[in-house]
């Protein structure tokens, strides 16, 4: 077993929970041995410390949603609307299972707060743009080895899915250095957390 495989399995088995809000403490369904890398609790906690613990009134986009951990955390913290974009059928099933565990499928009101887009991230962004979605926060967490940062950030910059004061936050391997800008999106801060890094972008004229 490689170091990275061990890291993935440990992260899935011991770090998959909702940290705060209405679903606080709920253990999320794990993926077993898989290539899908979950966001660790310390990265998730740092993210929400930066964007604010209360997301009431905000729309949240979870690209490369995986198990749905980040989007579910946003719902738990009061986000008005969360959109999950995920093309992997196993992960799509797990997102629904985790929403169900967090009692986010119990009635029409809860169901209306989230949507699952079953496309890859780039096609999903185009669909959201066509439908007129607008987001306050966008979380971008592609597989570290696939180098999709430029294509995603450039498409986000060119799209109309970002509100004027939106933040786009990218989780990436700390050795994968991102550019200072991608079109209208400009970097304004970074946070290093072990092997992961969170890079924050916002629109500048």
């Amino acid at each position: 077993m490689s170091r990275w495989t061990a890291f993935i399995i440990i992260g899935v088995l011991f770090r998959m929970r909702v940290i705060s809000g209405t679903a606080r403490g709920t253990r999320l369904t794990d993926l077993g041995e898989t290539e899908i890398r979950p966001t660790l609790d310390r990265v998730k906690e740092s993210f929400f410390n930066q964007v604010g613990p209360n997301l009431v009134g905000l729309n949240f986009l979870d690209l490369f949603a995986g198990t749905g951990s980040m989007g579910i955390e946003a719902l738990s913290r009061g986000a008005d609307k969360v959109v999950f974009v995920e093309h992997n059928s196993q992960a799509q099933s797990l997102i629904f299972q985790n929403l169900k565990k967090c009692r986010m499928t119990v009635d029409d009101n809860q169901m209306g707060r989230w949507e699952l887009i079953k496309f890859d991230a780039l096609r999903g962004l185009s669909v959201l743009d066509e439908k007129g979605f607008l987001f306050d926060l966008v979380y971008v967490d592609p597989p570290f080895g696939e180098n999709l940062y430029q294509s995603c950030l450039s498409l986000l910059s060119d799209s109309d899915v970002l509100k004027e004061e939106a933040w786009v936050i990218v989780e990436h391997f700390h050795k994968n250095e991102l550019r200072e800008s991608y079109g209208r999106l400009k970097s304004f801060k970074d946070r290093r957390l072990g092997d992961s890094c969170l890079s924050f972008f916002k629109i500048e004229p």
Side-chain angles (χ1 to χ4, degrees):
M1 179 183 295
S2 70
R3 181 175 68 88
W4 279 106
T5 302
F7 179 82
I8 291 169
I9 294 172
I10 290 169
V12 171
L13 292 178
F14 298 107
R15 300 298 182 94
M16 294 286 292
R17 65 185 179 92
V18 180
I19 297 171
S20 185
T22 58
R24 180 179 179 179
T26 303
R27 292 281 178 180
L28 302 180
T29 303
D30 67 58
L31 289 161
E33 295 188 27
T34 177
E35 294 297 319
I36 297 175
R37 170 185 49 80
T39 296
L40 300 181
D41 279 1
R42 63 176 175 170
V43 177
K44 187 193 301 184
E45 190 164 14
S46 177
F47 171 87
F48 285 100
N49 285 341
Q50 297 300 316
V51 303
N54 187 336
L55 271 59
V56 172
L58 301 183
N59 294 338
F60 185 96
L61 174 58
D62 188 1
L63 280 176
F64 306 94
T67 62
S69 173
M70 292 299 289
I72 288 171
E73 187 75 35
L75 285 168
S76 181
R77 293 171 184 250
D80 274 11
K81 182 79 173 185
V82 170
V83 175
F84 304 90
V85 177
E86 178 54 58
H87 76 286
N88 181 287
S89 59
Q90 181 188 12
Q92 292 165 7
S93 177
L94 286 167
I95 290 170
F96 185 78
Q97 289 179 48
N98 285 328
L99 287 162
K100 189 174 181 179
K101 287 185 74 172
C102 295
R103 297 186 58 78
M104 293 171 178
T105 62
V106 294
D107 55 40
D108 290 343
N109 182 53
Q110 290 291 340
M111 295 282 283
R113 295 178 60 212
W114 59 267
E115 186 167 339
L116 174 59
I117 303 295
K118 298 179 180 181
F119 291 112
D120 64 70
L122 298 181
R123 175 59 181 144
L125 281 173
S126 297
V127 169
L128 293 171
D129 203 359
E130 292 167 6
K131 289 185 174 183
F133 277 83
L134 285 171
F135 297 98
D136 302 278
L137 294 169
V138 178
Y139 190 70
V140 181
D141 182 20
F144 281 179
E146 294 189 12
N147 198 27
L148 294 170
Y149 306 105
Q150 179 171 338
S151 54
C152 282
L153 290 169
S154 297
L155 186 54
L156 277 166
S157 173
D158 292 339
S159 75
D160 292 320
V161 302
L162 301 177
K163 293 186 180 180
E164 185 176 343
E165 297 182 354
W167 284 11
V168 175
I169 302 91
V170 184
E171 181 182 346
H172 58 98
F173 185 50
H174 70 96
K175 291 184 179 180
N176 290 346
E177 294 186 8
L178 303 185
R179 299 202 318 243
E180 289 294 316
S181 64
Y182 295 86
R184 298 182 300 153
L185 289 172
K186 313 295 181 183
S187 174
F188 66 97
K189 65 178 173 179
D190 296 286
R191 291 292 182 271
R192 170 81 181 271
L193 299 125
D195 285 334
S196 296
C197 184
L198 293 175
S199 292
F200 294 74
F201 293 82
K202 62 183 177 181
I203 295 173
E204 289 189 4

